[in-house]
Amino acid sequence: MGDLKLIKNFKVTDGFFGRYEKLVKDVVLPYQERALNDQIEGAEKSHCIENFRMAAQKLKTGECDGAFYGMVFQDSDVAKWLEGAAYSLAQYPDADLEARCDEIISLIGEAQQEDGYLNTYFTVKEPDKRWTNLQEAHELYCAGHMIEAAVAYAECTGKTRLLEIMCGMSDHIYKHFVEEGAEGYPGHPEIELALMRLYHSTGVERYKELALHFINVRGVNSDYYNEEQAKRGWTVWGANPVDKEYTQCNVPVREQKKAVGHAVRAVYLYTGMADAAVETGDKELANACETLWNNITQHRMYVTGAIGSAYEGEAFTKDDHLPNDTAYAETCAAIGLIFFSNKMLYLARHGKYADVMERALYNCVLAGMQLDGTKFFYVNPLEVLPGISGEAKTHKHTLPVRPKWFTCACCPPNVARLLASVAEYAWHMVEGTLFSNLFIAGTLDVTDSLGGKVSLRTSYPYDNKMEYHFEPRREKMSMTLAVRMPAWSRETKIAINGKASDCEIRDGYAYLQGDFGADDVVTVEFDMAVRRVYTSSRVSANTGRAAVQRGPLIYCAEGVDNENDILSLSLKKDGRVTVSEYLPEKLCGIQELYAEGYRETVSEELYNYETPEAEPCRITLVPYYTWANRGLNQMRVWMPERD
Amino acid sequence: MGDLKLIKNFKVTDGFFGRYEKLVKDVVLPYQERALNDQIEGAEKSHCIENFRMAAQKLKTGECDGAFYGMVFQDSDVAKWLEGAAYSLAQYPDADLEARCDEIISLIGEAQQEDGYLNTYFTVKEPDKRWTNLQEAHELYCAGHMIEAAVAYAECTGKTRLLEIMCGMSDHIYKHFVEEGAEGYPGHPEIELALMRLYHSTGVERYKELALHFINVRGVNSDYYNEEQAKRGWTVWGANPVDKEYTQCNVPVREQKKAVGHAVRAVYLYTGMADAAVETGDKELANACETLWNNITQHRMYVTGAIGSAYEGEAFTKDDHLPNDTAYAETCAAIGLIFFSNKMLYLARHGKYADVMERALYNCVLAGMQLDGTKFFYVNPLEVLPGISGEAKTHKHTLPVRPKWFTCACCPPNVARLLASVAEYAWHMVEGTLFSNLFIAGTLDVTDSLGGKVSLRTSYPYDNKMEYHFEPRREKMSMTLAVRMPAWSRETKIAINGKASDCEIRDGYAYLQGDFGADDVVTVEFDMAVRRVYTSSRVSANTGRAAVQRGPLIYCAEGVDNENDILSLSLKKDGRVTVSEYLPEKLCGIQELYAEGYRETVSEELYNYETPEAEPCRITLVPYYTWANRGLNQMRVWMPERD
């Protein structure tokens, strides 16, 4: 999304993310490859590779055996998987995986029509209906994801076959929408951000122009989908175009003040808008992005970085409506919020954007995947009660354990591509300044720009100490290192070679300017004291409640650690919370927290006139990202607090 | 529902319910009559009188001008209105109203087919589809309501025309389902309880038999609706018969352990079951009723006596799932819970059943109507936040202010008939014992059975003192007065002629046996100290929270009394709550409560690491039944509690 060179040039040595990177390589990508090829027993069928095979066959022979299967956007699962594989290959060269990717890319090429058009749903199933149903049919969305895969694959492997394919498709889209003046804009935004990436990678102005076109026309004719529906005479799933907020076309993008509608669509759109604003210097567009980002993070974001309060429309609802147990909180939406926040960093250098990236990554996104990499959450609630969650009609979406795959499998490959490209969000290079946004141990080669390498040594997020080392190619690296000062750290100590530094701290970053040599060490020590989190009393669900955070990690109580009943627990106000040793065997390595609290006697009677009896107790808390890894189980983030 | 003689023989002098009785007579019945005749500007169209007119015309001439309009069960609105009018006429003779009722009844007679069949939807719109869609078409439901109206009108006015009409319809139903052996049972239970009433009123065994038939066949073939759907080839609204819990036909009624599905259907069914169990002595049926009543009141009932946790299916969800802001809590369902609890009193004499009647009546049911009698709530949530309630996709049903009428207008006439018949629930006569269940001032004529009158003098619910006086026709009334001891009263003082009585207290009643003369006074003083209510910690939504109750009234905080922000408020644990004078001008006469509490500073930031500042403050609370009478406004029942 940002500077892909960072991915190629960063060697992760991190204990925490290193495990994820290896997991992506060894487990997630192979597992998902099997899923896409329908080789996982008991998992939802994907059929998406098969769809490409059929499209290729049809283009070659005029016919194909079998029928298209899956969602209208099934192609995008292949795209996201390829993108993840590309990032992984940049870290871990793997000739075998690369060969398999090349084979799929070759298949994709065969599924491309002569005029550049690529989409298996339309090629196999609805050849006469191309571009007639932008509202529902996700053609531009699928194109966007494949463009992202193409850019990633080219940057990471140097191979440009997929890029050529997708330049062909992009040219086709340009011709249709710009040259031939076809009306409309994508029902599911995605292509805007993808075209910006294509532009950054290729330098071809046409792609930026096309991205801007889709951004600029959106919502100008806010009746477009109604008109399209009246004309087209067919439907994918009977979506109602009357709900204009759902697709963020209620007003032109520069006039949008609230994050509304389908949360993934929203943040994908805003990402494209922010990138376009950076590129064009369009102040109005930049202001809209800032307004929307503020609206999300001040009124519509869970403490885990999750967004989307309602199952209905997988959507944002209203300001300050953040129910915990019925949250939609889709993994993809939190990933999209990371994309958006990352782009905001280019618009306005402020640590708060990276704070939100960290919040979403270490909490909601990581929780989206089983620790072993083979199961996934689509929905990431902040409270789960077996017997209700996943069972009540109001809670069918809040599954208490991760399934193997989904009919709509957008989230699993999205997690894979994000985890494999985490370096992109960790670092940020701007004119001689290296921004350290996420604290992931490893070595970044910035020889090109700064004449050497910078390494970060840390055991974050279970350690508060960051050590930056330098490997200048010649003597010194003259540069500024800008280290994010996370909002959760009350007091951060910064030292150069053991001597406290009074560097400039501005807008959430500590700016360390200097000529750094091989013996120099910049040390940053965060205050990782356990902190209570309180929600503004504007949010009804969390009044009287607190959450517990340490470093970037939001903690939760699970039944399995707490006598299988967490609803009777309250945190003691100002009570002590102790931090366990690092437990390498538990949940792939965590530090638990033990909070002073109370356990209420559970009354048989539903309503009582006496204060329930409560005994002091110790509440065990584990990081939210590890929940639901030990079977069916209660879970709660926000707990009542009492004296 | 119970002993209709109580309605005729009770003269309400009560300040509180007397106001409601007069309101029903002067405002509610005339208002609703106009609504049924489509004479209220800006209200949803009803058309239900017009439907009867068209049916009559069609039967007379073979044709009718215009089309049926409204829900398939639109007839039932007329029935419920007539039933309410009957009860009101018993209290307040009104020749004009009675003449208008007679006219409507005459019209109903003209709309009845020769074979006794009565239903305007099928007569006007679908003459060939009678009895083919029991799942959706509500024929038996509409018949049930009209039977209730007929029984009420006969008992209260002595006029039997409607009773004859409905005996004709009941005979028709008996012929079809019993004699001719047609399969099936009502999609919306109601006729079971109605036929039991018809049996009680007429003594005709056939009607009891028919009630038992519908109870006994229910759920035995639990696939009935699926089979019916496959056969019938038409639908009213495409309801899915696969959800068997929705219509309580998942298992035979005697095997039902949990209150499931559509809440109104459920409690109407259970009411019929309980009445049948009383009548037949069927232990298995009685046990099922007790199990279901316990399940509701221990796991699925709001503190206001409301039931139905979800909009989806207007239904019960799962045990201990009681969300406050998205509650369905339909007025009709609380009314049905009163019916059910009242019947349970006949099965097992225990004050707890009357406690629940009182809870539902004084809180949820009364809240269902604007204090001026002209607007109504269908849904009665326990927390309302303008900006979210009635607006977010998840909260479309929780309107923050009462509408004038509804497309599906089941609730308004249901409130009217309940309020007009409240005497039936207040008193209970069993073999020489007079049970005083609800404390409504007035005089009950029990000359027939006990040789005199019993009066209750009280200003309940704003007064804790009950005085029972006696007017024996000759010297003394030899009887037992059983006064309910409400669970909320910690210590109740009972005295006869000022002398403390050590009467037997058993199963929630104080039994006062004696020969009472004109000078005797039984005095009962409840402990009306303000009480905190706590929910069992099984219920997630209310952990760490308390509600406030005084006497039978649950209180709530409204924004209008509390600086338009109630989310920042917490009750002080063990803090003082003072009770205002009686305020005759406020909300038609209430006592407010002033609770010691805290007001938190509302933080601009969504999440904060510091405990929010809080200042001591006084929280004003008003009775829940009065909420939303002062415009758009926040409301909350369950508030956080802190030291």
Side-chain angles (χ1 to χ4, degrees):
Chain A
M1 304 289 305
D3 189 348
L4 287 177
K5 280 186 209 123
L6 293 169
I7 298 175
K8 267 168 72 179
N9 294 341
F10 186 59
K11 290 291 155 217
V12 174
T13 58
D14 198 81
F16 188 81
F17 270 102
R19 194 189 80 80
Y20 279 107
E21 308 278 287
K22 286 205 189 69
L23 195 68
V24 168
K25 172 191 181 300
D26 294 335
V27 177
V28 183
L29 289 170
Y31 176 89
Q32 297 191 352
E33 193 181 353
R34 278 161 50 223
L36 302 183
N37 283 290
D38 304 313
Q39 293 162 351
I40 292 174
E41 212 174 311
E44 287 287 342
K45 187 168 145 185
S46 164
H47 204 261
C48 62
I49 298 286
E50 192 54 30
N51 288 338
F52 276 100
R53 214 160 267 146
M54 288 194 312
Q57 189 192 9
K58 190 168 175 193
L59 292 180
K60 202 179 285 169
T61 68
E63 276 179 14
C64 62
D65 32 283
F68 178 92
Y69 175 90
M71 309 299 284
V72 69
F73 49 81
Q74 208 77 348
D75 287 4
S76 64
D77 293 346
V78 179
K80 277 189 275 189
W81 180 85
L82 272 175
E83 189 184 344
Y87 300 139
S88 185
L89 287 170
Q91 284 280 323
Y92 303 103
D94 178 335
D96 203 46
L97 174 62
E98 193 166 326
R100 295 200 312 275
C101 289
D102 289 342
E103 205 180 307
I104 292 174
I105 288 167
S106 165
L107 178 65
I108 292 169
E110 290 172 44
Q112 182 169 35
Q113 303 197 17
E114 265 183 34
D115 60 359
Y117 184 87
L118 175 76
N119 185 297
T120 71
Y121 177 86
F122 285 90
T123 301
V124 173
K125 193 174 170 182
E126 300 284 10
D128 302 328
K129 300 202 166 106
R130 287 171 19 171
W131 307 124
T132 59
N133 186 346
L134 301 188
Q135 185 208 347
E136 297 177 306
H138 284 63
E139 276 161 298
L140 293 167
Y141 170 86
C142 287
H145 273 302
M146 201 60 88
I147 291 167
E148 287 202 85
V151 171
Y153 204 74
E155 301 262 0
C156 294
T157 66
K159 291 182 178 167
T160 56
R161 176 70 190 111
L162 189 57
L163 196 66
E164 287 154 17
I165 293 168
M166 292 318 296
C167 284
M169 174 61 165
S170 302
D171 293 342
H172 172 86
I173 295 169
Y174 182 87
K175 185 163 174 256
H176 183 71
F177 286 93
V178 179
E179 290 176 1
E180 295 172 1
E183 255 202 293
Y185 37 82
H188 194 314
E190 150 67 31
I191 197 163
E192 301 84 350
L193 73 85
L195 286 166
M196 288 306 297
R197 291 184 71 173
L198 187 60
Y199 164 69
H200 293 310
S201 184
T202 63
V204 176
E205 287 285 333
R206 194 166 58 248
Y207 302 139
K208 181 175 77 178
E209 191 193 331
L210 186 55
L212 288 169
H213 168 77
F214 285 129
I215 289 169
N216 290 335
V217 298
R218 183 166 217 93
V220 173
N221 171 13
S222 75
D223 283 325
Y224 172 72
Y225 295 134
N226 295 68
E227 294 166 8
E228 182 189 82
Q229 192 192 39
K231 263 191 289 194
R232 72 181 182 234
W234 73 287
T235 184
V236 178
W237 45 47
N240 185 353
V242 167
D243 183 358
K244 295 177 183 177
E245 288 196 349
Y246 176 75
T247 45
Q248 296 85 34
C249 69
N250 45 323
V251 290
V253 298
R254 286 172 187 76
E255 296 166 29
Q256 298 187 9
K257 309 276 183 231
K258 301 262 186 193
V260 296
H262 188 275
V264 177
R265 294 177 200 228
V267 285
Y268 280 14
L269 171 64
Y270 308 154
T271 304
M273 284 162 62
D275 200 350
V278 173
E279 196 55 43
T280 59
D282 180 332
K283 274 262 172 264
E284 232 188 319
L285 195 56
N287 288 344
C289 291
E290 204 196 334
T291 301
L292 291 164
W293 191 88
N294 287 340
N295 178 246
I296 292 174
T297 56
Q298 289 306 309
H299 295 283
R300 297 175 181 226
M301 177 184 74
Y302 288 93
V303 74
T304 55
I307 51 175
S309 297
Y311 161 77
E312 293 82 354
E314 311 188 309
F316 290 111
T317 54
K318 297 284 174 183
D319 279 355
D320 304 318
H321 176 234
L322 293 164
N324 293 305
D325 59 332
T326 55
Y328 200 67
E330 183 179 342
T331 312
C332 283
I335 292 171
L337 180 60
I338 294 175
F339 297 162
F340 180 30
S341 301
N342 190 41
K343 283 299 162 205
M344 288 304 293
L345 272 177
Y346 287 80
L347 260 187
R349 214 79 54 205
H350 199 297
K352 67 184 179 184
Y353 300 115
D355 281 356
V356 167
M357 293 203 301
E358 181 178 81
R359 186 190 286 281
L361 175 62
Y362 279 89
N363 299 293
C364 182
V365 174
L366 288 185
M369 187 168 80
Q370 194 84 350
L371 287 168
D372 69 5
T374 66
K375 294 190 182 113
F376 303 88
F377 273 137
Y378 198 108
V379 169
N380 300 278
L382 281 78
E383 177 169 303
V384 160
L385 302 170
I388 296 172
S389 302
E391 296 186 35
K393 279 192 176 173
T394 43
H395 290 67
K396 291 287 184 201
H397 60 293
T398 56
L399 303 180
V401 291
R402 293 174 186 82
K404 290 180 179 174
W405 203 248
F406 299 88
T407 310
C408 170
C410 51
C411 299
N414 222 352
V415 177
R417 70 172 178 145
L418 185 87
L419 292 178
S421 61
V422 80
E424 206 180 318
Y425 309 95
W427 303 98
H428 189 170
M429 264 295 304
V430 185
E431 298 155 9
T433 300
L434 179 62
F435 289 84
S436 179
N437 286 320
L438 303 179
F439 308 112
I440 296 169
T443 301
L444 182 71
D445 189 338
V446 279
T447 307
D448 281 3
S449 45
L450 301 177
K453 294 177 179 177
V454 178
S455 317
L456 170 58
R457 297 182 198 163
T458 181
S459 296
Y460 196 83
Y462 293 108
D463 181 24
N464 69 329
K465 208 166 164 183
M466 316 291 117
E467 270 187 27
Y468 294 89
H469 293 261
F470 305 85
E471 295 175 50
R473 204 150 75 170
R474 293 173 198 170
E475 291 184 21
K476 302 278 186 185
M477 292 169 74
S478 179
M479 62 176 283
T480 302
L481 175 67
V483 179
R484 177 173 64 95
M485 301 285 97
W488 49 258
S489 175
R490 219 176 311 221
E491 209 180 328
T492 301
K493 291 181 194 150
I494 304 165
I496 302 180
N497 301 324
K499 218 187 108 196
S501 160
D502 57 350
C503 62
E504 184 191 11
I505 292 179
R506 174 166 42 86
D507 294 340
Y509 286 100
Y511 287 85
L512 295 129
Q513 197 173 0
D515 298 314
F516 298 104
D519 297 333
D520 292 323
V521 187
V522 171
T523 319
V524 179
E525 266 181 71
F526 297 127
D527 177 0
M528 255 193 202
V530 174
R531 304 203 74 172
R532 304 284 170 107
V533 190
Y534 300 93
T535 312
S536 169
S537 59
R538 299 187 313 256
V539 178
S540 162
N542 298 345
T543 54
R545 298 190 187 185
V548 177
Q549 179 172 5
R550 181 170 181 259
L553 303 178
I554 300 295
Y555 276 71
C556 66
E558 279 198 288
V560 64
D561 298 310
N562 295 286
E563 302 176 24
N564 293 312
D565 171 21
I566 56 173
L567 293 183
S568 308
L569 300 173
S570 315
L571 293 165
K572 182 176 175 180
K573 201 164 183 75
D574 305 320
R576 219 146 40 95
V577 183
T578 52
V579 183
S580 81
E581 296 290 289
Y582 183 72
L583 307 169
E585 300 301 321
K586 188 166 184 180
L587 296 164
C588 295
I590 60 163
Q591 284 180 287
E592 292 184 329
L593 303 180
Y594 310 116
E596 280 188 282
Y598 298 93
R599 179 178 288 284
E600 213 176 283
T601 307
V602 184
S603 88
E604 280 297 307
E605 291 293 313
L606 182 55
Y607 299 112
N608 302 279
Y609 295 114
E610 306 301 332
T611 319
E613 302 255 324
E615 292 287 324
C617 75
R618 190 180 89 161
I619 302 172
T620 300
L621 301 167
V622 295
Y624 175 79
Y625 76 85
T626 69
W627 85 275
N629 274 278
R630 292 171 293 169
L632 191 65
N633 196 18
Q634 292 184 342
M635 185 277 289
R636 190 175 224 192
V637 170
W638 292 99
M639 305 180 77
E641 207 184 37
R642 57 185 283 178
D643 294 73
Chain B
M1 304 285 306
D3 189 347
L4 287 178
K5 280 184 211 127
L6 294 170
I7 298 174
K8 267 169 69 182
N9 295 341
F10 186 59
K11 290 292 156 216
V12 175
T13 58
D14 198 82
F16 189 80
F17 269 102
R19 194 189 80 81
Y20 278 108
E21 307 279 288
K22 286 206 188 69
L23 195 68
V24 168
K25 172 191 180 302
D26 295 335
V27 178
V28 183
L29 288 171
Y31 178 88
Q32 296 191 352
E33 193 181 353
R34 278 162 50 222
L36 301 183
N37 283 292
D38 305 314
Q39 293 162 349
I40 294 174
E41 211 173 314
E44 287 286 344
K45 185 169 146 185
S46 164
H47 204 260
C48 61
I49 299 287
E50 193 53 31
N51 289 337
F52 275 100
R53 215 159 267 148
M54 288 195 311
Q57 188 191 12
K58 191 169 174 191
L59 291 181
K60 202 179 286 174
T61 67
E63 276 179 13
C64 61
D65 32 284
F68 177 93
Y69 175 89
M71 310 297 284
V72 69
F73 48 81
Q74 207 77 348
D75 288 2
S76 64
D77 293 346
V78 179
K80 276 189 277 189
W81 181 84
L82 272 175
E83 190 185 342
Y87 299 141
S88 185
L89 286 171
Q91 284 279 323
Y92 302 103
D94 179 335
D96 202 48
L97 173 62
E98 194 166 325
R100 296 200 314 274
C101 289
D102 289 341
E103 202 181 310
I104 292 174
I105 289 167
S106 165
L107 178 65
I108 292 170
E110 290 172 43
Q112 182 169 36
Q113 303 197 17
E114 267 184 32
D115 60 359
Y117 183 88
L118 175 74
N119 186 295
T120 71
Y121 178 86
F122 284 91
T123 301
V124 173
K125 193 173 169 181
E126 299 284 10
D128 303 329
K129 299 201 168 106
R130 286 171 19 169
W131 307 125
T132 58
N133 187 346
L134 301 188
Q135 184 208 347
E136 297 176 306
H138 285 62
E139 277 160 298
L140 293 168
Y141 169 85
C142 287
H145 272 302
M146 201 59 88
I147 291 168
E148 288 202 86
V151 170
Y153 203 75
E155 301 262 359
C156 294
T157 67
K159 292 183 179 167
T160 56
R161 176 72 188 109
L162 190 55
L163 197 68
E164 286 155 18
I165 294 169
M166 293 318 295
C167 283
M169 175 62 165
S170 301
D171 293 341
H172 173 85
I173 296 169
Y174 183 86
K175 183 162 176 254
H176 184 71
F177 286 94
V178 178
E179 290 176 1
E180 295 172 0
E183 256 201 294
Y185 37 82
H188 194 315
E190 150 67 21
I191 196 164
E192 302 84 349
L193 73 86
L195 286 166
M196 288 306 298
R197 291 185 72 173
L198 188 60
Y199 164 69
H200 293 311
S201 184
T202 62
V204 177
E205 287 284 332
R206 195 165 59 247
Y207 302 139
K208 181 174 78 177
E209 192 193 331
L210 186 55
L212 288 169
H213 168 77
F214 285 129
I215 290 168
N216 290 334
V217 299
R218 184 167 213 91
V220 173
N221 171 13
S222 76
D223 283 326
Y224 172 73
Y225 295 134
N226 296 70
E227 294 165 10
E228 182 189 82
Q229 192 192 40
K231 263 191 287 192
R232 73 181 179 233
W234 73 287
T235 184
V236 178
W237 46 47
N240 185 354
V242 166
D243 184 357
K244 295 177 184 177
E245 287 195 350
Y246 176 75
T247 45
Q248 298 86 32
C249 70
N250 46 322
V251 290
V253 297
R254 287 172 187 75
E255 295 166 31
Q256 298 187 9
K257 308 276 183 233
K258 302 262 186 195
V260 295
H262 188 276
V264 178
R265 295 176 200 229
V267 284
Y268 280 15
L269 171 64
Y270 308 154
T271 303
M273 285 163 61
D275 201 351
V278 173
E279 196 55 44
T280 59
D282 181 331
K283 274 262 172 265
E284 232 188 318
L285 196 56
N287 288 344
C289 290
E290 202 195 334
T291 302
L292 291 164
W293 192 88
N294 287 339
N295 179 246
I296 291 173
T297 56
Q298 288 306 309
H299 296 283
R300 296 173 182 229
M301 178 185 74
Y302 288 93
V303 76
T304 55
I307 51 175
S309 298
Y311 161 77
E312 293 81 356
E314 311 187 308
F316 290 111
T317 54
K318 298 283 174 184
D319 279 355
D320 304 318
H321 175 233
L322 293 163
N324 293 306
D325 59 333
T326 56
Y328 200 66
E330 184 180 340
T331 311
C332 283
I335 291 172
L337 180 59
I338 293 175
F339 296 163
F340 179 29
S341 300
N342 190 40
K343 283 298 163 206
M344 288 304 293
L345 272 177
Y346 287 80
L347 259 187
R349 214 80 52 206
H350 199 297
K352 67 184 177 183
Y353 300 117
D355 281 356
V356 167
M357 292 201 305
E358 179 177 81
R359 187 190 285 283
L361 175 62
Y362 280 88
N363 300 291
C364 183
V365 174
L366 289 185
M369 187 167 81
Q370 194 86 349
L371 287 169
D372 69 5
T374 66
K375 295 194 181 107
F376 303 89
F377 273 138
Y378 198 107
V379 168
N380 300 278
L382 281 79
E383 178 169 302
V384 159
L385 302 170
I388 297 172
S389 302
E391 297 188 33
K393 280 192 176 174
T394 44
H395 291 65
K396 291 286 184 203
H397 61 293
T398 56
L399 303 181
V401 290
R402 294 175 187 81
K404 290 182 182 175
W405 203 249
F406 299 89
T407 310
C408 169
C410 51
C411 298
N414 222 351
V415 176
R417 69 170 177 146
L418 186 86
L419 292 179
S421 60
V422 81
E424 206 179 319
Y425 309 95
W427 302 98
H428 189 170
M429 264 297 302
V430 184
E431 298 156 10
T433 301
L434 178 63
F435 289 85
S436 179
N437 286 320
L438 303 179
F439 308 112
I440 296 169
T443 301
L444 183 69
D445 188 339
V446 280
T447 307
D448 282 2
S449 45
L450 301 178
K453 295 178 179 175
V454 177
S455 318
L456 170 58
R457 297 184 197 161
T458 180
S459 297
Y460 196 82
Y462 292 109
D463 180 23
N464 69 329
K465 209 166 162 184
M466 315 293 118
E467 269 186 27
Y468 294 89
H469 293 262
F470 305 86
E471 296 176 48
R473 208 153 70 171
R474 296 175 197 170
E475 290 184 21
K476 301 276 183 184
M477 293 169 73
S478 178
M479 61 175 285
T480 303
L481 176 67
V483 180
R484 177 172 64 94
M485 301 285 98
W488 48 259
S489 175
R490 221 177 308 222
E491 209 180 325
T492 300
K493 289 181 196 151
I494 303 166
I496 301 181
N497 300 325
K499 216 187 109 194
S501 159
D502 57 349
C503 61
E504 185 191 11
I505 293 181
R506 174 166 43 87
D507 295 341
Y509 285 101
Y511 286 85
L512 295 128
Q513 199 173 357
D515 298 314
F516 298 103
D519 297 334
D520 291 322
V521 188
V522 172
T523 319
V524 179
E525 265 182 72
F526 298 127
D527 177 1
M528 255 194 200
V530 174
R531 305 202 72 171
R532 304 286 170 107
V533 191
Y534 300 93
T535 313
S536 170
S537 60
R538 300 186 313 254
V539 178
S540 162
N542 298 344
T543 55
R545 298 192 188 184
V548 177
Q549 179 172 2
R550 180 168 181 259
L553 303 177
I554 300 296
Y555 277 71
C556 67
E558 279 199 286
V560 66
D561 297 310
N562 294 285
E563 300 177 25
N564 292 314
D565 171 20
I566 57 173
L567 293 181
S568 307
L569 299 174
S570 314
L571 293 165
K572 182 175 176 181
K573 201 168 184 72
D574 305 319
R576 219 148 37 96
V577 183
T578 51
V579 182
S580 80
E581 295 290 290
Y582 182 72
L583 308 169
E585 300 302 320
K586 189 166 183 180
L587 296 163
C588 295
I590 60 163
Q591 283 180 289
E592 292 186 329
L593 303 181
Y594 310 117
E596 281 189 282
Y598 297 95
R599 179 178 289 283
E600 215 176 282
T601 307
V602 183
S603 88
E604 280 297 307
E605 290 292 312
L606 182 55
Y607 300 112
N608 302 280
Y609 294 115
E610 305 301 333
T611 318
E613 303 254 326
E615 292 288 326
C617 74
R618 188 180 90 160
I619 302 171
T620 300
L621 301 168
V622 295
Y624 175 79
Y625 76 84
T626 68
W627 84 274
N629 274 279
R630 292 172 292 168
L632 190 66
N633 195 18
Q634 291 185 341
M635 186 276 291
R636 190 175 224 192
V637 170
W638 292 98
M639 304 181 77
E641 207 185 36
R642 57 183 285 178
D643 294 73

